[in-house]
Amino acid sequence: MDVAKFLVQKSEPLNGEVVISGAKNAVLPLMASAILAEEKCIIRDVPALRDVDVMKDILRSLGSEINELEESIIEINTEKILKCEAEFDLVSKMRASFLVMGPLLARVGRAKVHMPGGCSIGARPIDLHLKGFEALGAEIIVKDNYVEAIAGPQGLVGNSIYLDFPSVGATENIMSAAVLAKGTTYIENAAEEPEIVDQANFLNKMGAKIKGAGTDTIKIEGVESLHGAQHTVIPDRIETGTFMLAAAITHGQILIKNVVPDHVKPITAKLRECGVTVEMGDEGMYVIADNPDLVATDLKTLPYPGFPTDIQSPFMAFLTTVNGASTVIETVFENRFMHVAELNRMGANIKTDGNRAMIQGAKQLEGAQVIATDLRGGAALVLAGLVAQGTTEISEIYHIERGYEKFTDKFRGLGANIFRIED
């Protein structure tokens, strides 16, 4: 692991425009879904991220050919799948690598994946994925360090599957397994995130028959085979939310381009409650926070279309700086407050009790040496550093770079004092 750090210094209000990249949480399942095609697929607006590189390596290890056609455009050729096992050293780097399991199971009837890695933000069990595969007729073998799924002699067979929790990963994995199953599959209590809709749209372009993506019940009629397709990744709503908060915390004015307003409705609503102006124009979304007296609000994370857990920590950094007390309740991941100790080290006043954080706002933050404990927690520390007196030194930034493309370039383009240094 490299030992690069971010140095962030108190900045003027951010000003200018920024273009949002393709969504990390959409592109990874799209790349995995390409395994299902017996021809080439082309994906556009692919962000240059570590996680994308890991997924490329996993697909290559299975026999895919991947070509970079232009910046942010890749061609994936999965005509030949040579292996059905995802290698441990790749899978251990990223949790989303588990998303190759459904497509492999559907395409070649067998999939073996080592237990996944990724951010340490709580238990994200894979039992819902496996329950879904089992309902489609697969035999599941779970060992200490790997899990294997084997389709029966008849292949996968459609079924009704109820998810105990609307898991995004399980919905994506089961949906991609079911597209080649015999008969019809229903996924009930499915995740409704925009990334699910994006994957369903891609699969449908490949010849799948999926209806209801974006609602709590998805219907999938199995087909014989899938062909190649071209697709453009949706904009990253979490990156959008991060820059909305960058404008808010610095009392700046930012034009955010390549935005789907519906995808960030809960973030927009909460920022407006705090006194921030958010407006859509012809060019994109304007976020204007020139009101000097922004106020606190309470928030509770929920599965989409509720407030996104991925924006909870950046929003908390903002809440430390506004007038009043606020409460943040985290219902999605039980270990999502690891950034609190780091923000408190910078002078924030945050107390936690289980899944509840109480924030006393209007604090002048102070620069400090802090650690990016996870991807979004790291982004929260950068936002805090923009308004903290002095210099904030953030280590373990590989977490942040897993999920944000051209992170320092985009912030510096808005006037932020942020530098990436190699130790």
Side-chain angles (χ1 to χ4, degrees), residues 22-45:
K24 172 182 98 81
N25 291 339
V27 73
L28 300 174
L30 294 179
M31 292 171 71
S33 297
I35 291 170
L36 290 157
E38 296 177 16
E39 298 167 356
K40 295 174 182 175
C41 290
I42 292 173
I43 305 177
R44 294 185 164 82
D45 261 8

Side-chain angles (χ1 to χ4, degrees), residues 149-268:
I150 305 163
Q154 307 302 313
L156 299 178
V157 180
N159 202 347
S160 284
I161 299 160
Y162 177 84
L163 297 180
D164 298 333
F165 176 82
S167 158
V168 174
T171 302
E172 290 166 341
N173 232 342
I174 295 164
M175 184 163 67
S176 56
V179 291
L180 296 180
K182 294 177 179 66
T184 303
T185 298
Y186 291 91
I187 307 175
E188 296 178 276
N189 198 29
E192 300 176 27
E193 271 73 359
E195 294 79 10
I196 304 285
V197 178
D198 206 35
Q199 184 191 16
N201 288 342
F202 181 47
L203 290 169
N204 283 340
K205 287 180 186 176
M206 292 159 68
K209 293 183 177 175
I210 302 170
K211 290 182 178 169
T215 74
D216 64 359
T217 303
I218 301 175
K219 179 186 178 184
I220 304 143
E221 289 181 53
V223 296
E224 283 290 313
S225 62
L226 296 184
H227 51 74
Q230 299 195 23
H231 189 74
T232 301
V233 184
I234 56 172
D236 195 313
R237 62 196 171 96
I238 306 305
E239 186 190 11
T240 302
T242 303
F243 280 104
M244 292 169 77
L245 285 158
I249 198 169
T250 64
H251 292 270
Q253 300 187 31
I254 299 179
L255 167 60
I256 306 176
K257 295 183 168 181
N258 193 31
V259 175
V260 180
D262 277 0
H263 293 178
V264 291
K265 266 184 180 172
I267 308 168
T268 300

Side-chain angles (χ1 to χ4, degrees), residues 58-73:
I58 291 170
L59 293 179
R60 287 190 180 108
S61 77
L62 299 171
S64 306
E65 288 176 27
I66 298 179
N67 296 309
E68 319 274 336
L69 301 184
E70 292 173 36
E71 186 183 7
S72 79
I73 302 177

Side-chain angles (χ1 to χ4, degrees), residues 122-144:
R124 299 202 270 184
I126 53 174
D127 55 345
L128 293 177
H129 304 238
L130 303 181
K131 178 181 163 184
F133 299 151
E134 210 162 23
L136 297 173
E139 179 193 355
I140 306 296
I141 300 162
V142 180
K143 297 286 186 188
D144 287 343

Side-chain angles (χ1 to χ4, degrees), residues 102-419:
L104 277 176
L105 180 60
R107 175 87 188 272
V108 296
R110 189 181 194 107
K112 182 177 176 181
V113 178
H114 289 267
M115 292 303 183
C119 279
S120 309
I121 51 173
R124 299 202 270 184
I126 53 174
D127 55 345
L128 293 177
H129 304 238
L130 303 181
K131 178 181 163 184
F133 299 151
E134 210 162 23
L136 297 173
E139 179 193 355
I140 306 296
I141 300 162
V142 180
K143 297 286 186 188
D144 287 343
N145 60 344
Y146 73 85
V147 58
E148 190 168 10
I150 305 163
Q154 307 302 313
L156 299 178
V157 180
N159 202 347
S160 284
I161 299 160
Y162 177 84
L163 297 180
D164 298 333
F165 176 82
S167 158
V168 174
T171 302
E172 290 166 341
N173 232 342
I174 295 164
M175 184 163 67
S176 56
V179 291
L180 296 180
K182 294 177 179 66
T184 303
T185 298
Y186 291 91
I187 307 175
E188 296 178 276
N189 198 29
E192 300 176 27
E193 271 73 359
E195 294 79 10
I196 304 285
V197 178
D198 206 35
Q199 184 191 16
N201 288 342
F202 181 47
L203 290 169
N204 283 340
K205 287 180 186 176
M206 292 159 68
K209 293 183 177 175
I210 302 170
K211 290 182 178 169
T215 74
D216 64 359
T217 303
I218 301 175
K219 179 186 178 184
I220 304 143
E221 289 181 53
V223 296
E224 283 290 313
S225 62
L226 296 184
H227 51 74
Q230 299 195 23
H231 189 74
T232 301
V233 184
I234 56 172
D236 195 313
R237 62 196 171 96
I238 306 305
E239 186 190 11
T240 302
T242 303
F243 280 104
M244 292 169 77
L245 285 158
I249 198 169
T250 64
H251 292 270
Q253 300 187 31
I254 299 179
L255 167 60
I256 306 176
K257 295 183 168 181
N258 193 31
V259 175
V260 180
D262 277 0
H263 293 178
V264 291
K265 266 184 180 172
I267 308 168
T268 300
K270 285 294 167 187
L271 280 174
R272 284 177 175 155
E273 285 176 23
C274 296
V276 178
T277 300
V278 183
E279 293 174 347
M280 282 307 297
D282 293 341
E283 291 191 84
M285 173 182 279
Y286 293 89
V287 184
I288 302 162
D290 52 5
N291 174 0
D293 296 314
L294 299 178
V295 295
T297 189
D298 297 329
L299 61 92
K300 180 180 184 179
T301 66
L302 289 165
Y304 191 87
F307 191 92
T309 179
D310 279 356
I311 282 293
Q312 176 259 105
S313 40
F315 209 106
M316 192 184 293
F318 165 63
L319 290 173
T320 66
T321 68
V322 300
N323 295 320
S326 50
T327 301
V328 172
I329 299 173
E330 173 60 58
T331 73
V332 180
F333 291 126
E334 77 279 6
N335 202 13
R336 202 103 210 217
F337 286 156
M338 293 190 297
H339 56 283
V340 167
E342 305 302 308
L343 286 172
N344 282 344
R345 193 173 292 170
M346 297 176 69
N349 182 351
I350 308 169
K351 294 183 172 63
T352 59
D353 180 12
N355 71 336
R356 185 182 299 262
M358 286 71 71
I359 303 134
Q360 194 60 51
K363 292 295 173 188
Q364 173 56 62
L365 301 180
E366 303 289 337
Q369 290 188 342
V370 289
I371 297 169
T373 53
D374 61 274
L375 167 52
R376 309 305 174 183
L381 297 176
V382 171
L383 296 183
L386 294 174
V387 294
Q389 294 290 357
T391 300
T392 300
E393 182 181 298
I394 304 170
S395 57
E396 303 200 12
I397 63 169
Y398 62 89
H399 285 300
I400 302 170
E401 293 178 337
R402 278 187 44 234
Y404 290 97
E405 182 181 43
K406 299 176 181 171
F407 187 79
T408 51
D409 291 350
K410 289 185 181 184
F411 269 97
R412 286 166 67 87
L414 297 168
N417 293 323
I418 179 169
F419 307 92

